[in-house]
Amino acid sequence: MTPKSFEILAGLLHAGSGLALGADKTYLLESRLAPVLRKHNIDTLDALAARLRPVGLGTMPGGIEQDVIEAMTTNESFFFRDDKPFQHFRAKALPQLLASRPPGAKLRIWSAAASTGQEAYSLAMILDASRAMLGGRSCEIVGTDISREALGRAQQGLYSQFEVQRGLPMQYLVKHFRKEGAQWRISDTLRGMVQFRSLNLLGDLRGLNQCDAVFCRNVLIYFDQPTKAKVLEAIAQQMSADGVLYLGGAETVLGITDVFTAQAGERGVYERSVPALRATPRQSALAETR
Ligand SMILES: C[S@@+](CC[C@H](N)C(=O)[O-])C[C@H]1O[C@@H](n2cnc3c(N)ncnc32)[C@H](O)[C@@H]1O
């Protein structure tokens, strides 16, 4: 592949999905884009690059450009991944969020890079097990991702034996899944608790309702610093003041943005920074006179 072709492909991926691809990752383009070449009957990556049109930042372009973007996403996920964030959500965040909301209120939870759905369904299992605690409050889980193929699988809720053996407690497998051939189908109850939608984190997030808990895990690692900051700041705008953000084990807000503050003693758990810290001097002065 010529340097020019690499530049075109890397530019498309950066604008289209935020993926920051180093020049040493040519092998990744070769392996992941092979199915796209086959699908569109194109012989080489140079010929593919010549076919690509530039995409607008954070758009969902469709066509061959979307195929390239999707093929380069890493969709690895599993139920209750890393366990700790789910334990924290169940034992700490959920009771706190519920305590400050009246009966009849709706709690909104967003799995912001939902991939094939395991994260959103893990949250649905926690909510199902916490029904007694909800006390008349309802919950909505939204799973979004840039990859329509991954979302298609999430919506189906059909998982292989290998997938249900990774992280899913046996009692949840028995309670929420039924065997379908060699695979496992998630129950209609859990499927009914989650809505999946395609959404680019680099695009306009304002179509989402305000969320009380956001799981944005194992996606920022693929972005460069300015993109991480932009995405985190846009997410903060979509969160309630007492909302909780969960990031992946290799991700942080430190040195990237000050819109979130790490929860003391909790790895990967963040809350929105105190609004007064970010208020304009005029707002702060007004607050002091109240
Ligand atoms: C490694 S998976 C993480 C899945 C899940 N959050 C977890 O931790 O198990 C990363 C996901 O981020 C999605 N993704 C990558 N760039 C994105 C973007 N710009 N907007 C939305 N989703 C994106 C990919 O399609 C992929 O499904």
Side-chain angles (χ1 to χ4, degrees):
M1 185 179 23
T2 66
K4 179 74 190 154
S5 299
F6 178 83
E7 200 183 299
I8 292 171
L9 282 161
L12 171 92
L13 292 163
H14 190 255
S17 71
L19 180 65
L21 201 67
D24 57 333
K25 294 281 163 51
T26 311
Y27 70 93
L28 208 59
L29 289 171
E30 281 162 1
S31 60
R32 296 220 180 151
L33 295 180
V36 179
L37 294 183
R38 277 197 298 278
K39 176 178 169 189
H40 292 273
N41 213 6
I42 297 173
D43 288 336
T44 63
L45 289 180
D46 289 318
L48 172 65
R51 284 266 298 268
L52 297 174
R53 288 160 303 171
V55 301
L57 193 74
T59 52
M60 301 286 266
I64 192 168
E65 290 79 13
Q66 183 74 24
D67 288 345
V68 168
I69 289 169
E70 291 212 16
M72 292 304 295
T73 58
T74 301
N75 306 121
E76 161 98 352
S77 189
F78 44 97
F79 293 102
F80 295 94
R81 183 173 192 171
D82 303 335
D83 198 35
K84 273 233 161 87
F86 296 96
Q87 278 185 32
H88 181 277
F89 175 71
R90 182 177 44 77
K92 295 190 178 163
L94 183 60
Q96 263 166 29
L97 289 166
L98 291 172
S100 56
R101 281 154 182 78
K106 183 178 262 185
L107 208 65
R108 294 199 173 87
I109 300 151
W110 178 23
S111 169
S115 187
T116 40
Q118 287 93 328
E119 185 173 82
Y121 288 131
S122 300
L123 292 164
M125 288 182 230
I126 291 175
L127 290 176
D128 179 77
S130 312
R131 275 188 201 282
M133 204 199 283
L134 299 184
R137 297 162 192 89
S138 60
C139 294
E140 179 181 282
I141 304 171
V142 180
T144 65
D145 202 281
I146 200 172
S147 166
R148 291 171 187 161
E149 196 180 322
L151 286 175
R153 283 209 56 214
Q155 255 144 6
Q156 277 194 322
L158 198 57
Y159 296 97
S160 68
Q161 184 70 37
F162 174 68
E163 286 169 319
V164 297
Q165 274 169 347
R166 291 179 86 188
L168 184 67
M170 179 55 85
Q171 73 270 25
Y172 282 164
L173 177 66
V174 172
K175 179 161 187 211
H176 296 296
F177 292 77
R178 71 184 142 74
K179 199 94 199 278
E180 212 174 281
Q183 296 189 294
W184 293 87
R185 171 88 64 185
I186 205 149
S187 71
D188 290 343
T189 307
L190 286 202
R191 252 198 301 170
M193 291 171 71
V194 186
Q195 291 166 32
F196 290 103
R197 286 168 49 181
S198 61
L199 181 79
N200 189 340
L201 285 171
L202 270 55
D204 189 351
L205 307 182
R206 287 172 302 176
L208 290 163
N209 288 316
Q210 287 266 299
C211 298
D212 303 300
V214 179
F215 283 69
C216 183
R217 306 183 59 237
N218 305 303
V219 61
L220 294 179
I221 34 169
Y222 301 105
F223 301 163
D224 57 22
Q225 298 279 99
T227 309
K228 286 179 195 183
K230 182 176 177 302
V231 169
L232 285 165
E233 282 156 23
I235 288 175
Q237 293 300 314
Q238 294 311 124
M239 288 177 63
S240 52
D242 60 347
V244 187
L245 170 72
Y246 296 89
L247 298 183
E251 296 162 334
T252 180
V253 306
L254 280 182
I256 296 170
T257 176
D258 60 359
V259 293
F260 289 104
T261 308
Q263 267 195 8
E266 303 287 358
R267 216 176 130 80
V269 189
Y270 300 86
E271 49 202 42
R272 289 190 61 180
S273 302
V274 178
L277 291 176
R278 301 189 53 77
T280 60
R282 184 172 148 65
Q283 282 171 321
S284 306
L286 278 175
E288 277 162 25
T289 58
R290 282 188 189 133

